[in-house]
Amino acid sequence: MLVLGIETSCDETGVALYDTEQGLLADALYSQVELHAEFGGVVPELASRDHLRKLVPLVHQVMQQAQRPLSDLNAIAYTAGPGLIGALMTGSCMARALALALGIPALAVHHMEGHLLAPLLDKAPPAFPFVALLVSGGHTQLIQVEAIGRYQLLGESVDDAAGEAFDKTAKLLQLGYPGGPRLAALAQQGTPHRFAFPRPMTNRPGLDLSFSGLKTHTLTCIRELEAANTLDEQAKADVAWAFQDAVVDTLTIKCKRALKHTGYTRLVVAGGVSANLALRQRLDQLLQGMGGEVFYPALAYCTDNGAMIALAGALRLAAGEQDASPPPALRPRWP
Ligand code: KG4
Ligand code: ZN
C-alpha cells in the first residue's frame, strides 16, 4: 500500500511517500527557519502562509521523484495535532481535499506518534515492545510502547519540554534562533564541570520531568557572571556545557528508571532533541551497561518531517484503520 504523508504542525513543510512493501520511496522537506529567524521564533500566521505556498509543489516533487501517479495512492496521512492550528489546517485541507478527489481515506495522525515511529524507517528497526523517550520542542515524554497504537504514558515534563528549555536557554545566551542545535554546538567548547547545575526531580521516585528550573538556574548563573564582569565567550560555553549536561543526565536517569519499571531492554529516542550527540553518547553508555539496545531515527528524521507521518499512516492503514467520518477535528493540544 502506498501512502502520502503530510506534516505541517509547525515550521517545516514535510511531504513523503511510503510503501508498505518497499519502505520510503520519496521525501521532501522545506524548512521555514530563515523566514522566522528575524523574529527570534515561529510566527504562526507566516508559517501557515508559507505551508500553503509549498504544499502543492512538494506533493508534485515526491510523486515525480518516485515516478508514481497520484492514482496509485491508497491513503493520505496528515498531522492533525498537536501543533499550530493554522499550520495544521493547511496540511489537513490539502490531504483531505486530495483524498476526497481520489476517493481514498485521509488518516489523521498524532504528531508525536509520528516521532515515536520514526526509528521504524530505519533498515534495522527496533522490535516491539520498547520504551520511547520523546524529546521535542513541545513534548518530553516517556512512553511504554507495546505495539503500534498501544502506548502508555509513563511520565512527562510538568513544565517546559526539553527542546523548549534548550531554545529558551540559548536565547538567554543570545545564540539566536533556532537555539537548540546552537547551544549544543557551543557546549562542545565548554569546560566540563565549571558550573554545577541541578538534576530536577531525580531525587524522588516517579518518571515525570521538569526543565523550567534549569532555565532559571542558567539566568541566575549568567547574572552572577555579568555582575562579576566575567561573562566572556568561554564562560558562555561553560554555562552551555553545564546546562546540556544537566538535561542529558536527568533524561538518562529517567530512562534507566523507565527501563527498570517496564523490564524492557529496548529504548527508542525520537523528536528534535534526539539529534543531540551528548544525549546519544550517554544513552549508548546506559544501554550498553544494561545489556540492552538503543535506537534513534536517522538525523534527518529526528526533527519534523513528512516521512514519519507517511509511515505512521501506512502502519495504521495496514492495521485496518479507515477514514473517520465525520473527519476528526484538528487538535492544537492533543494528549
Ligand atoms: O521534533 P521537533 O523538530 O519539533 C517539535 O515537534 O517540537 O523538535 C525541535 C526541537 C527544538 O526545540 C530544537 O531546539 C531541538 O528540537 N533540537 C535540539 C537539537 N536539534 C534540535 N536540541 C538539542 N540539541 C540538538 N542537537
Ligand atoms: Zn515534532
Side-chain angles (χ1 to χ4, degrees), residues 152-223:
Q152 257 190 67
L153 186 66
L154 298 171
E156 64 183 332
S157 177
V158 296
D159 43 54
D160 291 353
E164 188 181 359
F166 262 93
D167 294 337
K168 287 178 174 173
T169 303
K171 219 170 196 171
L172 293 176
L173 289 168
Q174 296 175 326
L175 301 180
Y177 164 87
R182 294 187 189 187
L183 183 89
L186 183 65
Q188 288 192 333
Q189 318 298 322
T191 317
H193 306 293
R194 173 169 167 201
F195 301 107
F197 276 43
R199 272 59 177 151
M201 294 179 80
T202 53
N203 58 1
R204 60 180 112 151
L207 292 165
D208 281 340
L209 301 121
S210 161
F211 292 108
S212 70
L214 281 180
K215 175 192 65 194
T216 315
H217 193 90
T218 309
L219 184 61
T220 313
C221 191
I222 290 174
R223 290 218 171 116

Side-chain angles (χ1 to χ4, degrees), residues 17-310:
L17 199 55
Y18 186 86
D19 183 277
T20 43
E21 303 289 310
Q22 301 169 53
L24 192 64
L25 299 185
D27 177 25
L29 185 74
Y30 180 81
S31 169
Q32 303 177 354
V33 161
E34 276 177 34
L35 176 71
H36 301 291
E38 66 171 297
F39 304 100
V42 178
V43 183
E45 183 58 24
L46 293 183
S48 316
R49 287 169 191 232
D50 205 54
H51 286 308
L52 274 182
R53 275 190 287 271
K54 297 297 174 339
L55 273 168
V56 173
L58 290 186
V59 170
H60 279 303
Q61 189 180 320
V62 297
M63 299 312 294
Q64 270 169 11
Q65 212 177 315
Q67 299 192 315
R68 300 286 289 266
L70 285 170
S71 56
D72 278 5
L73 291 175
N74 295 102
I76 304 182
Y78 62 95
T79 303
L84 302 170
I85 185 68
L88 291 170
M89 274 182 187
T90 63
S92 86
C93 284
M94 173 82 196
R96 288 181 35 214
L98 194 52
L100 188 69
L102 295 168
I104 56 174
L107 306 172
V109 171
H110 192 296
H111 180 77
M112 297 313 289
E113 185 181 25
H115 276 304
L116 189 156
L117 297 175
L120 271 66
L121 287 163
D122 213 83
K123 287 206 169 56
F128 295 99
F130 53 77
V131 168
L133 170 68
L134 300 184
V135 269
S136 72
H139 295 77
T140 302
Q141 302 182 320
L142 277 160
I143 299 176
Q144 179 170 353
V145 180
E146 291 156 25
I148 307 265
R150 291 188 51 190
Y151 314 123
Q152 257 190 67
L153 186 66
L154 298 171
E156 64 183 332
S157 177
V158 296
D159 43 54
D160 291 353
E164 188 181 359
F166 262 93
D167 294 337
K168 287 178 174 173
T169 303
K171 219 170 196 171
L172 293 176
L173 289 168
Q174 296 175 326
L175 301 180
Y177 164 87
R182 294 187 189 187
L183 183 89
L186 183 65
Q188 288 192 333
Q189 318 298 322
T191 317
H193 306 293
R194 173 169 167 201
F195 301 107
F197 276 43
R199 272 59 177 151
M201 294 179 80
T202 53
N203 58 1
R204 60 180 112 151
L207 292 165
D208 281 340
L209 301 121
S210 161
F211 292 108
S212 70
L214 281 180
K215 175 192 65 194
T216 315
H217 193 90
T218 309
L219 184 61
T220 313
C221 191
I222 290 174
R223 290 218 171 116
E224 280 170 10
L225 288 162
E226 272 172 350
N229 215 5
T230 50
L231 185 64
D232 53 16
E233 286 310 304
Q234 188 57 49
K236 280 188 179 182
D238 299 346
V239 170
W241 188 94
F243 169 83
Q244 176 172 269
D245 190 56
V247 173
V248 166
D249 206 30
T250 303
L251 290 172
T252 307
I253 291 167
K254 296 284 172 159
C255 282
K256 185 174 177 185
R257 236 180 244 181
L259 288 162
K260 286 207 165 140
H261 170 82
T262 54
Y264 292 176
T265 55
R266 282 179 291 268
L267 177 70
V268 159
V269 191
V273 184
S274 68
N276 186 279
L277 294 178
L279 179 65
R280 288 184 175 217
Q281 273 171 6
R282 286 293 305 278
L283 293 177
D284 287 349
Q285 275 169 14
L286 173 72
L287 272 291
Q288 226 170 34
M290 295 178 83
E293 260 185 299
V294 56
F295 299 83
Y296 312 93
L299 280 179
Y301 303 123
C302 286
T303 46
D304 293 349
N305 63 86
M308 66 185 194
I309 303 303

